[in-house]
Every structure is written in C-alpha cells, then in structure tokens.
Amino acid sequence: MAVPVSVHETSSVEYAGTLDRVVRFGRGLAVALAILFFWSGGLLLAWIAVPYVFMSERDPLRRRRRLQRMVAGAWAWFLRCCEAITIYRVRYQGTLPPDEPCVLVANHPSLLDVTAIIARMPHACCVVKSSLVDSPLVGRLLRACGHVGAGDGSLMAGVGVLDAVRERLQEGFPVLVFPEGTRSPLGGMRRFRRGAFEIAQREGVPLVPLFLRCDPPALGKGTPVWRHPRRCPTLTVSVEPALNLTEVSPVAACKQLQLEFRDRLGVPRRSEGAAEE
C-alpha cells in the first residue's frame, strides 16, 4: 500500500530543491564574475602596465622579469580572493624548483592551472594557445612576459615553437608545458606529446613533473561555469622529483610519466592513452 505524503513533506522537498538551485546559480554567477574580473585585470595590465614598464626599463630581460613579477602578484591576489569567496583554492605540495632553466610539465585539469603555477613561479614562461598570444586584448602582455604561442599544429609551426622554447631556456627562464595540449577531459587525461621531453634532453636541463588534481572537478574542458560544485574545489599542485633525461630516452620518460599520472588519477590505461610516437 502506498504511503501518503503530507503537504508539509512535499513543501520541504520543493523548498530544498529551490534552495539548491539558488545556491548553484549564485556560485555559478560568482565564478562568471571572477573570470570576467580576471580577464579585465589582464586587459589593464596589457594596456597600462606594459607601456609603463617599456618606458621605464630599457633592458629586455629585466623588463620581462619585472612584468612577470607584476602578473604573478596579480594572479596570487586573484587566487586569494577566489579562496575567500570559496569558489576555488590552491594547495602546493613539495618544493618548487629554483628560478633556473628547466622544463615543467603538468597535466591540465582546470582553467586556472597556469595561474596557480605562475603565482608561485613568477619567471616561468608558458606555451599557450596561439589565439591568446595573438589576441589584441591580452596578447601584448603574454608576449612581453615571454610566453610562447603553441602554433597551429603544423610541422613548421612546431619547429618555431621548439626554437622559441629553447631561446627562453637559454635566456635563463623555466618553461611550463602542458603535454596534453589542452585541458583534460572530465575524469580523464589526454595523450602526452613528447616535445617537452625532447627539449629538456637537447638543452640538458632537468624536467620537473607537476601533478595536478582538482577535487571536486571544476572549470574543466567543456564544463560550464553554472555547474560549479557547491563544495569549494581545491587544486593541489604536487611537485615531483626532477627527471634527468640524459639517463633515459624522451619517449620512454614521456610514456612512463603519463602512465604514472593516469594511475594516480584512476584513469584506465587505454591504448589511446599511449604517449605520442
């Protein structure tokens, strides 16, 4: 026999459902406003800070480092604001490498991964989407900070990217590369490309893996901001021991690191997850 449901119980369920929708909408709105604020700050830095530093500092490398510190400070402040309103927080495990030439490789679970890493490593140059480097809004800021466009995927573009990364290393900057090429799919991880590993070997610099985990998942590939979780997402940046690629081939190192990351994320070792040959 069906148990009758009282009007009071029905109203409570409806109220809880409405409250949940309101809370989720509010958190999604907060994230959208935070991202808008983030890009607005980038726009101001690009069109105010960059001209000021270019006029006041003649040495190109000192100019770049000065702008990098300004951007890192702004991003660190932005992340503190995100934590204060409980929409995103970052935690670091391990010791980040010194400000010396090295290749940093990381998986890419969320939109703010670059922000979190450079907030702690101001002088790292990153390989980013060419659409951002060429953007009329923030492109001049990214170029002034030494970031490198990833190209269009063609062979000649790839050669240009490798040359630019080598130039940054020779100038004394760490270089951050996401070997997946874009953000990870929800609950997964894309195939690693071996370019970063080959550059580290050719230039004789250490390769430092950064293992990133966002719990609960947020700001991932294809995840709209209005689906932001109710619990504050925590991005954990774990600094792994540096790899010396004079003792192992780039292909083997790429495959092994990818498998280790997939195991730690609980992602099955499917054939399509193999490192790029």
Side-chain angles (χ1 to χ4, degrees), residues 211 213 258-269:
F211 175 70
R213 183 195 298 274
Q258 178 180 256
L259 291 175
E260 290 177 6
F261 277 22
R262 292 177 73 88
D263 287 345
R264 291 173 67 172
L265 290 169
V267 178
R269 294 189 178 192

Side-chain angles (χ1 to χ4, degrees), residues 8 10 25 44 58-59 75 89 95 107 130 162 167 195 205 211 221 225 242 247 253 267-268:
H8 176 72
T10 303
F25 174 80
L44 291 175
R58 294 184 178 275
D59 183 82
W75 285 359
R89 69 166 65 95
T95 303
N107 57 312
S130 291
L162 294 178
E167 182 179 348
V205 298
F211 175 70
K221 189 76 170 179
V225 296
E247 302 173 355
V267 178

Side-chain angles (χ1 to χ4, degrees), residues 192-223:
F192 276 9
R193 301 175 181 178
R194 67 172 188 263
F197 298 79
E198 292 182 343
I199 293 172
Q201 184 191 59
R202 292 176 186 177
E203 295 301 312
V205 298
L207 185 137
V208 181
L210 304 176
F211 175 70
L212 277 56
R213 183 195 298 274
C214 189
D215 181 37
L219 300 177
K221 189 76 170 179
T223 304

Side-chain angles (χ1 to χ4, degrees), residues 33-222:
L33 291 175
I35 293 174
L36 177 62
F37 181 74
F38 175 86
W39 287 109
S40 299
L43 185 63
L44 291 175
L45 287 170
W47 291 94
I48 296 177
V50 171
Y52 172 76
V53 172
F54 268 67
M55 288 188 297
S56 59
E57 180 60 68
R58 294 184 178 275
D59 183 82
L61 294 184
R62 291 178 60 184
R63 181 194 303 152
R64 180 181 296 165
R65 290 183 178 274
R66 185 173 172 183
L67 282 168
Q68 287 174 329
R69 289 192 296 271
M70 292 175 65
V71 170
W75 285 359
W77 180 81
F78 169 76
L79 290 172
R80 287 195 295 271
C81 291
C82 289
E83 181 168 1
I85 60 176
T86 70
I87 60 171
Y88 195 85
R89 69 166 65 95
V90 183
R91 296 291 181 263
Y92 301 89
Q93 296 179 349
T95 303
L96 287 164
D99 182 23
E100 297 175 352
C102 65
V103 176
L104 306 161
V105 294
N107 57 312
H108 203 353
S110 83
L111 182 64
L112 298 179
D113 299 340
V114 176
T115 307
I117 295 169
I118 291 184
R120 283 294 184 93
M121 289 198 70
H123 300 302
C125 298
C126 183
V127 178
V128 300
K129 290 193 298 185
S130 291
S131 59
L132 292 176
V133 175
D134 298 333
S135 166
L137 301 179
V138 297
R140 64 188 306 175
L141 176 64
L142 297 178
R143 294 191 297 271
C145 288
H147 300 306
V148 177
D152 59 7
S154 66
L155 179 60
M156 293 306 298
V159 172
V161 173
L162 294 178
D163 289 342
V165 169
R166 277 197 288 266
E167 182 179 348
R168 298 295 179 271
L169 292 170
Q170 291 165 5
E171 290 171 338
F173 294 93
V175 176
L176 170 63
V177 180
F178 294 97
E180 293 176 86
T182 185
R183 277 178 287 166
S184 309
L186 183 64
M189 198 178 80
R190 300 182 190 278
R191 181 179 63 177
F192 276 9
R193 301 175 181 178
R194 67 172 188 263
F197 298 79
E198 292 182 343
I199 293 172
Q201 184 191 59
R202 292 176 186 177
E203 295 301 312
V205 298
L207 185 137
V208 181
L210 304 176
F211 175 70
L212 277 56
R213 183 195 298 274
C214 189
D215 181 37
L219 300 177
K221 189 76 170 179

